[in-house]
Amino acid sequence: MEQDQDGSGGSGAERSAVLERLQKAGGLSPGAARSVAFETGVPEAEVYGTGSFYSLLARPDTKVRVCNGLSCRLAGADELLGSTQRAGLPVETCSCLAACDAAPAALRDRALLPRLTQSDVESCGGDWTRLTSSAATASAPTYCPGPVFDLAGEPDPSAPAFQKAIEIGPDAVIGELEASGLQGRGGAGFPAHRKWRAVRTQLDPTRYVVLNADEGEPGTFKDRDLLLRRHDLVLEGLAIAAFVVGAEDVYLYLRGEFETPGRLLEEVLAQAEGRFPGIRFHVHYGHGSYVCGEETALLEALEGKRGMPRHRPPYPVERGLWGRPTLMHNVETIAAVSAIVLRGGAWFRGLGRSEPGSKLYSVSGHVERPGNYELPMGVSLDELVEAAGGYVGELKAFSPGGASSGFLPASERTRPLDFRSLAEVGCMLGSAGVVVLNQSVDMRAAALTQLRFFEAESCGQCAPCRIGTHYLREALERHGSTGDSPDALAHTAEVAWQLNEGSICGLGQTAALPLTSALKYFPREFRA
């Protein structure tokens, strides 16, 4: 198996190498864009314009980043930021680091520092290279065994499901996927078998498989754990997908902050020569952009461009990476394939309660044991939190699917956490990043945290998203600073409609939900 760190596996090699070369140059430091332009033949202006899109490349002098996601702020991220500033560290805030179970989290260069404390900051003596977290070497959390992913289990390098897939053939594998009812676990919930069949039946003989491991939804951290603990399931699922759809190249796109999972995958792939004959694996890293979690924006990033979503159709199954048919899946989705092939689609379907299969739920915030829990699809919030040790304080609200899902009140605590049931109340399961809020939380402040996230992460391509996210954030800040004047939020519904109807991707389409849902369920907190 081949590992490709410079994007050379296919056409457009020089263009796709731009971001990796900028990273090796230390980001957009003086002269870096010109040097990369000389090496690749891509115009300097394009190199600079591409690099400036990504936060980890655009500001190379920033060496420490403190997460300002909702779960981290509940755990003291604001105080942590203040201590790093007082220590004179080159610091700024950043969006969610997919470490909500270890809040507050920070990033040192590209290395995650979970549960960073003020004493950790003080002990580094103002030298960012010496900044470490005492939690980084702490014992691993305990996971309950699960039937599909078993995060508590040991990786199995023998790849039995891949061998069975070869024995039964591509059509039988797709048949089992259809019988399983597996839906995309990255948020969209699209039936997996339809994607596989669509790519397999394309006339173009060159096809690709792409893993979307750009986990950036605030409140979600399941993909990180799967890559660290059950990378065998991820790689085997990708190999089965490549065999079934007729692809020789598999691209693993990891968010730039996933340095540790990425290095582990590189080591595993280096030791797995010959395990999946005829399939080449290529590991690529993102560079700091939430919107690259959208599948077409991710493809743009893989091709060495700014990660801006494409208009659809055509869809990636028809024209994806470098214009070729491409099968794309989230980490949890692809990791479920091995168990389905080994034990059958009917078995997987039977694991669910209200919808097929088991589900990895990430839960953080005001719970005793934040973490990832594999439970039947359709459990309630109360059941999930019971598995996580119970509530801390009295439940007030929760986000069932990260920032994109908005908020639900405590009265919805028994509603099934699945795609259909949450849609009935104008919410969404998304990637199942559940954030629990107790009575101490100001819902206006919580909504403002989410609005700031969406404004900061909008790629700016769509005018409704670019303007609307800014407008809503500014309106809520104005509402809080002018004696709770209702006039500040008078146009919220209209702007929310414009965002939903006029945005290309899910970021803009859901960006207003934190505010509109908070206004709906907690109107008293928006009145004087």
Side-chain angles (χ1 to χ4, degrees):
M1 280 176 288
E2 172 193 351
Q3 282 182 264
D4 178 12
Q5 289 298 310
D6 63 6
S8 60
S11 60
E14 293 306 316
R15 178 69 197 189
S16 66
V18 164
L19 295 174
E20 284 72 18
R21 290 176 186 266
L22 273 178
Q23 180 184 350
K24 291 177 181 178
L28 283 176
S29 54
R34 178 170 297 181
S35 175
V36 172
F38 178 79
E39 295 171 0
T40 62
V42 177
E44 182 180 350
E46 289 188 30
V47 173
Y48 185 88
T50 299
S52 64
F53 182 85
Y54 300 93
S55 62
L56 296 179
L57 297 177
R59 297 181 292 280
D61 292 336
T62 300
K63 303 300 184 182
V64 180
R65 292 172 167 86
V66 176
C67 177
N68 66 353
L70 183 55
S71 295
C72 281
R73 296 193 72 185
L74 293 175
D78 292 340
E79 293 77 9
L80 178 61
L81 176 64
S83 66
T84 55
Q85 291 172 332
R86 289 190 295 274
L89 298 176
V91 63
E92 66 178 29
T93 60
C94 67
S95 297
C96 185
L97 293 174
C100 313
D101 57 336
L107 205 66
R108 184 197 62 209
D109 204 3
R110 296 198 177 205
L112 178 67
L113 301 177
R115 294 190 182 92
L116 194 67
T117 66
Q118 185 172 344
S119 61
D120 293 326
V121 173
E122 293 171 349
S123 64
C124 80
D127 181 357
W128 72 272
T129 63
R130 297 178 56 222
L131 182 64
T132 58
S133 168
S134 54
T137 56
S139 59
T142 302
Y143 294 93
C144 298
V148 177
F149 309 107
D150 191 11
L151 289 173
E154 292 294 324
D156 179 5
S158 65
F162 179 71
Q163 299 303 322
K164 183 175 180 180
I166 294 175
E167 293 171 7
I168 65 177
D171 291 336
V173 172
I174 293 177
E176 292 295 346
L177 277 183
E178 184 172 3
S180 74
L182 177 65
Q183 297 170 273
R185 300 312 205 214
F190 191 80
H193 74 275
R194 294 185 185 176
K195 281 188 174 184
W196 290 47
R197 186 170 284 122
V199 176
R200 178 167 169 75
T201 56
Q202 294 296 314
L203 296 178
D204 192 332
T206 302
R207 302 154 189 174
Y208 299 113
V209 172
V210 173
L211 177 72
N212 184 345
D214 192 39
E215 183 177 45
E217 182 67 35
T220 308
F221 45 91
K222 59 187 176 61
D223 294 352
R224 181 204 67 195
D225 264 3
L226 277 170
L227 292 170
L228 284 171
R229 300 178 178 279
R230 295 312 307 264
H231 46 76
D232 58 322
L233 299 179
V234 177
L235 296 178
E236 188 174 25
L238 289 169
I240 293 170
F243 164 70
V244 169
V245 304
E248 296 179 353
D249 291 281
V250 175
Y251 290 84
L252 292 76
Y253 185 95
L254 282 63
R255 65 176 296 179
E257 297 85 349
F258 276 9
E259 181 182 77
T260 301
R263 299 306 177 208
L264 176 61
L265 281 173
E266 291 173 0
E267 293 175 8
V268 171
L269 286 170
Q271 298 167 5
E273 187 70 35
R275 187 180 303 168
F276 306 115
I279 301 173
R280 295 181 292 269
F281 289 82
H282 313 270
V283 179
H284 284 258
Y285 293 93
H287 303 281
S289 171
Y290 164 76
V291 78
C292 285
E294 196 277 337
E295 60 180 9
T296 62
L298 186 153
L299 293 176
E300 291 288 293
L302 264 180
E303 294 177 5
K305 306 170 187 173
R306 295 166 70 91
M308 304 177 82
R310 300 172 180 174
H311 288 277
R312 292 172 291 183
Y315 292 91
V317 294
E318 303 165 302
R319 290 181 58 83
L321 187 62
W322 294 302
R324 305 289 193 172
T326 302
L327 176 66
M328 300 186 67
H329 274 312
N330 162 266
V331 175
E332 183 186 351
T333 313
I334 205 70
V337 170
S338 295
I340 292 172
V341 170
L342 284 176
R343 306 188 68 173
W347 168 82
F348 180 85
R349 181 180 287 272
L351 295 175
R353 181 179 299 173
S354 58
E355 291 178 358
S358 66
K359 180 79 186 73
L360 279 177
Y361 292 94
S362 301
V363 60
S364 62
H366 292 132
V367 297
E368 289 289 349
R369 294 195 300 270
N372 290 305
Y373 297 89
E374 183 180 350
L375 297 169
M377 177 71 92
V379 298
S380 67
L381 177 71
D382 281 347
E383 291 173 297
L384 172 60
V385 174
E386 181 182 2
Y391 294 101
V392 174
E394 181 184 352
L395 176 66
K396 180 177 187 176
F398 64 102
S399 289
S404 299
S405 65
F407 300 103
L408 288 177
S411 59
E412 294 289 346
R413 63 199 300 165
T414 59
R415 178 173 291 275
L417 297 177
D418 63 28
F419 293 103
R420 182 178 57 253
S421 300
L422 291 171
E424 291 173 354
V425 288
C427 195
M428 59 188 292
L429 178 64
S431 52
V434 182
V435 181
V436 176
L437 309 177
N438 66 21
Q439 292 291 339
S440 69
V441 176
D442 178 347
M443 294 307 299
R444 185 168 56 184
L448 183 57
T449 294
Q450 309 295 50
L451 292 183
R452 286 171 174 163
F453 164 77
F454 285 119
E455 180 189 12
E457 293 298 331
S458 173
C459 73
Q461 180 176 193
C462 312
C465 182
R466 182 177 67 250
I467 300 170
T469 53
H470 174 79
Y471 176 89
L472 290 179
R473 187 269 306 163
E474 189 178 58
L476 187 53
E477 287 183 339
R478 189 167 65 251
H479 176 270
S481 63
T482 57
D484 297 330
S485 169
D487 294 340
L489 300 177
H491 301 292
T492 296
E494 181 182 354
V495 175
W497 183 88
Q498 294 280 359
L499 278 163
N500 184 61
E501 296 297 318
S503 301
I504 293 175
C505 80
L507 187 155
Q509 293 164 6
T510 61
L513 269 176
L515 178 56
T516 57
S517 60
L519 285 168
K520 176 181 178 180
Y521 294 115
F522 306 95
R524 284 185 173 183
E525 303 202 21
F526 294 85
R527 293 199 295 264

